[in-house]
């Protein structure tokens, strides 16, 4: 996918304790139209000082660093959220690194790029491709272009000052009038789609919903290793059952099932009110797990499914939501001001398949009502 660069260069601070990696990232960013490296730092304390002094638009941040690690950097700059830059984590892709990266997302980082894993050494070409994609995501937030590719050929969207808060960049116009959902009995399954911003948003949605009287299945765009860490972190944060789904797993009420990264998941009806998950790694879907596949299977298999579309770029979930809406099933979407990226909710709203547009906590409460959860 080709992204239109921002009209004015966005400034980037490179933070990594490896001089080689700093030079490599500096080259990648410098060769990407629309971005300019404003500085670099080799440890966390120097990073905090550079962020406060240079006020970059974007920071690429390592986790494992001397003096102060990446988590410490995020905690140090978080109190000044109104002037904080957007942070993209660029870190080792290990089991421990996955847990720390999810912590970083909870502290305000918007996305992440693996620079190595437990199974392969650093691949700078892959790092470059991923980083350019994440820079485009950050640019979408900073310039208000929350659906990329979005601007016309002139690409004249103004660059946002780093002093503004990301939430202020979303469209000021209210969303389209919601599509009314018919009154029905309690939902028998809840399906949720999320991407960039999802790990930060899911706890807010799930807290008032869980434990849910119906099974909950989440398609979060995430690499394979991170899905298990995401399930563990959500379980610890919420105090409810959250598991990484397995092929053939019977879906349990009161449990949140996170689809594994890299796998698509389909709902299968075993008998009335009882469902299982079928996982597959094939298919041509850009995102795996794919929300359209999950939603369509819910529309085919469940009697009263309900769905929610959370923060993320693109339109995954819209076609699956259409299948649900055609059956009269409720589809909810996240509000623009509460989403890191409003692309996925907006695409579904524009398609006329959304019943209600709510902030995360209210969305969770509405899902709880739809499933018949006692107040």
């Amino acid at each position: 996918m080709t992204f239109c660069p921002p009209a004015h260069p966005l400034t980037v601070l490179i933070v990594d304790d490896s001089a080689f990696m700093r030079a490599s990232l500096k080259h990648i960013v410098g060769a990407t139209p629309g971005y300019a490296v404003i500085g670099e730092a080799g440890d966390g304390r120097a990073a905090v000082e550079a962020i406060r002094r240079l006020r970059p638009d974007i920071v690429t941040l390592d986790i494992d660093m001397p003096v102060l690690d990446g988590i410490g950097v995020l905690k140090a700059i978080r109190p000044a959220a109104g002037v904080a830059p957007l942070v993209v984590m660029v870190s080792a892709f290990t089991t421990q690194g996955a847990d720390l990266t999810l912590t970083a997302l909870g502290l305000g980082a918007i996305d992440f790029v693996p620079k190595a894993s437990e199974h392969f050494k650093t691949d700078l070409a892959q790092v470059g491709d991923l980083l350019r994609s994440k820079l485009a995501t950050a640019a979408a937030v900073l310039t208000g272009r929350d659906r990329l590719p979005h601007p016309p050929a002139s690409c004249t969207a103004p660059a946002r000052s780093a002093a503004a808060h990301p939430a202020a960049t979303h469209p000021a116009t209210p969303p389209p009038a919601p599509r009314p959902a018919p009154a029905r009995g309690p939902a028998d399954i809840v399906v949720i789609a999320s991407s960039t911003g999802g790990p930060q948003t899911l706890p807010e949605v799930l807290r008032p919903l869980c434990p849910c009287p119906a099974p909950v299945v989440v398609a979060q765009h995430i690499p394979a290793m991170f899905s298990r860490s995401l399930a563990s972190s959500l379980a610890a944060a919420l105090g409810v059952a959250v598991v990484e789904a397995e092929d053939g797993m019977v879906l349990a009420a009161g449990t949140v099932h996170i689809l594994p990264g890299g796998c698509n998941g389909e709902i299968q009806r075993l008998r009335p009110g009882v469902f299982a998950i079928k996982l597959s790694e094939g298919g041509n879907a850009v995102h795996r797990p794919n929300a359209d596949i999950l939603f369509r299977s819910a529309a085919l298999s469940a009697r009263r499914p309900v769905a929610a579309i959370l923060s993320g770029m693109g339109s995954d979930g819209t076609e699956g939501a259409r299948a649900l809406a055609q059956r009269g099933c409720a589809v909810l979407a996240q509000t623009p001001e509460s989403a890191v990226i409003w692309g996925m909710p907006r695409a579904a709203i524009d398609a006329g398949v959304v019943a209600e547009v709510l902030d995360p906590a209210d969305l969770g409460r509405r899902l709880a009502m739809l499933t018949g959860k006692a107040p």
Side-chain angles (χ1 to χ4, degrees), residues 93 112 114 220-228 244 260-262 288-289:
F93 196 29
F112 53 88
Q220 166 68 49
H221 299 162
I222 202 165
M225 188 177 297
F226 283 92
S227 51
R228 181 162 296 179
E244 183 183 49
R288 293 196 300 268

Side-chain angles (χ1 to χ4, degrees), residues 122-177:
T122 300
D123 181 342
L124 289 178
Q126 183 181 51
V127 170
D129 289 343
L130 288 171
L131 181 56
R132 281 185 282 271
S133 172
K134 307 311 180 184
L135 290 174
T137 300
V141 178
L142 292 167
T143 63
R145 291 180 284 139
D146 59 338
R147 289 178 66 189
L148 295 180
H150 181 269
S154 60
C155 294
T156 56
R160 185 207 65 138
S161 166
H165 192 278
T169 68
H170 289 291
T173 55

Side-chain angles (χ1 to χ4, degrees), residues 302-364:
R303 186 177 180 186
R304 293 183 296 274
V306 295
I309 301 179
L310 309 182
S311 175
M313 184 179 291
S315 60
D316 188 28
T318 295
E319 291 308 311
R322 192 186 307 278
L324 289 164
Q326 286 172 348
R327 282 196 49 206
C329 304
V331 178
L332 313 181
Q334 186 175 354
T335 54
E337 61 273 12
S338 67
V340 173
I341 298 284
W342 199 43
M344 283 169 48
R346 181 175 179 176
I349 292 168
D350 288 350
V353 296
V354 170
E356 297 177 69
V357 182
L358 303 163
D359 65 31
D362 286 338
L363 197 155

Side-chain angles (χ1 to χ4, degrees), residues 15-17 41-52 61-78 89:
V15 181
D16 200 292
D17 64 338
D43 65 66
R45 183 174 297 166
V48 172
E49 294 173 356
I51 289 168
R52 291 172 177 167
L61 180 62
D62 191 15
I63 288 183
D64 187 11
M65 296 184 296
V67 185
L68 185 68
D69 65 10
I71 301 300
V73 172
L74 287 168
K75 289 179 178 178
I77 66 174
R78 194 180 188 188
M89 307 306 297

